[in-house]
Structures are given as C-alpha cells and as structure tokens.
Amino acid sequence: MDIFSRRLTSSFLFFLFLSFTEAKEILVGGKTDAWKIPSSESDSLNRWAEKSRFRIGDSLVWKYDGGKDSVLQVTKEAYASCNTSNSIAEYKDGNTKVKLDRSGPFYFISGAKGHCEQGQKLHVVVLSQKHRYTGISPAPSPAEIEGPAIAPTSSAAGLKAGFLVTLGIVVLGLF
C-alpha cells in the first residue's frame, strides 16, 4: 500500500471514531410537542427512553410552552411520588437543555400541577464510559422504582462498533 492510501485509510478511521464518540443533543420524545401528559402508556416518554441510548456528554432538549409547564430534575424518591416541592433543578423557559454529565439515572417530572401524576415524567439512564462502544446495556435491577422497567435493547451503535472493529482488522491486515 502506498503512503497516500495509508493516510487516506487513517483519516477515514479517525473520522469514523469521532462520529461514534461525539456528544449529541437529543430532543426529548423525538419531537417538539413530546413534553405533555401521555395519551396512553405506550405514548409515555419512558417508552421512548427505553429505546434510546444516552451517553455522558449528551444533552436532553425539551420544547414546551414555558408559560404553562416546566421541567423539574428530581431525585428518584421525588420522581416516584411526583413531589415537586424540592427539585434538584427547575427549568421554565420552554426550550430547556440539560447536559448529562455523569453515568447513571436522571429523573425529570413536569412542574405543572397534576401532570406528573398523569404520567408526564421521564427517567433516563446514562451509560458509563466502559459501555461506550457496545450496543448492549445491563439489565435493570428489579423494581428499583415504581413504573415501567428500563428494558435492554439493541441499537445501531453495536452494529457500528462491530463494523469499526472489522474494518480495523482488515486495514491492519493490509499493513
């Protein structure tokens, strides 16, 4: 292989690596009007979160009417009981962005009276650094909180990581 091909291959691999590791802004629920009382259990934001993968450095973004609602970041206990009186953080601007700065669970509820009790809440689990390149998440511990469990799911990240490993082996085999 000539030097040009090696540099091109190295640049391509570096670009692939960066595309898998950069933090993302994730619109809560995947749409602008998702922060609302769900019409059914299958419409809950926790169902959406079960299918998503959150990594350290990602940011959750909420779009909502700041005059009528708010987003409260709360403890696990406040999440389970819908206690709005002692939040970790309160956001009311209608265009809220929260950076996920550590691995583990994050809990959010609506600050509008009665909305949390009707299901307007969100529980996300951020993967640890050691789980960054796999598409497999650990099974949740049983009955950590009341409500739907976070089920492990597969994602495109596992396929991308497998592709990257295979590509790396092929490229190294050429040298």
Side-chain angles (χ1 to χ4, degrees):
M1 220 180 200
D2 66 2
I3 190 120
F4 175 75
S5 296
R6 287 183 188 174
R7 285 187 181 158
L8 183 62
T9 302
S10 296
S11 297
F12 177 72
L13 288 175
F14 182 71
F15 173 75
L16 275 176
F17 176 75
L18 287 179
S19 70
F20 296 127
T21 60
E22 66 184 45
K24 298 177 196 138
E25 287 191 3
I26 302 167
L27 186 62
V28 169
K31 54 189 177 182
T32 57
D33 63 344
W35 190 238
K36 62 183 179 185
I37 297 169
S39 59
S40 67
E41 179 63 29
S42 63
D43 189 37
S44 85
L45 288 174
N46 287 330
R47 293 283 183 220
W48 166 79
E50 289 171 2
K51 298 173 188 167
S52 303
R53 289 291 168 251
F54 306 98
R55 303 195 191 309
I56 297 171
D58 286 349
S59 294
L60 294 177
V61 178
W62 283 262
K63 305 280 186 179
Y64 57 95
D65 182 346
K68 297 180 181 177
D69 207 343
S70 62
V71 176
L72 305 179
Q73 184 175 351
V74 296
T75 64
K76 178 170 76 169
E77 295 76 21
Y79 175 87
S81 64
C82 289
N83 182 348
T84 60
S85 64
N86 194 17
S87 62
I88 296 168
E90 180 177 11
Y91 308 95
K92 312 182 207 187
D93 62 358
N95 187 23
T96 297
K97 186 194 308 189
V98 175
K99 186 171 184 176
L100 304 173
D101 58 357
R102 60 172 172 78
S103 63
F106 285 78
Y107 301 93
F108 303 94
I109 62 175
S110 170
K113 186 171 178 72
H115 285 210
C116 177
E117 292 82 356
Q118 295 179 62
Q120 188 177 347
K121 55 205 247 176
L122 173 63
H123 170 212
V124 300
V125 179
V126 178
L127 297 173
S128 67
Q129 289 287 4
K130 67 181 178 179
H131 291 107
R132 248 181 121 68
Y133 301 109
T134 67
I136 302 168
S137 66
S141 58
E144 231 181 66
I145 58 165
E146 301 223 2
I150 304 296
T153 60
S154 64
S155 70
L159 292 175
K160 290 176 187 175
F163 172 74
L164 186 59
V165 169
T166 304
L167 183 63
I169 290 170
V170 169
V171 169
L172 291 175
L174 295 175
F175 292 108

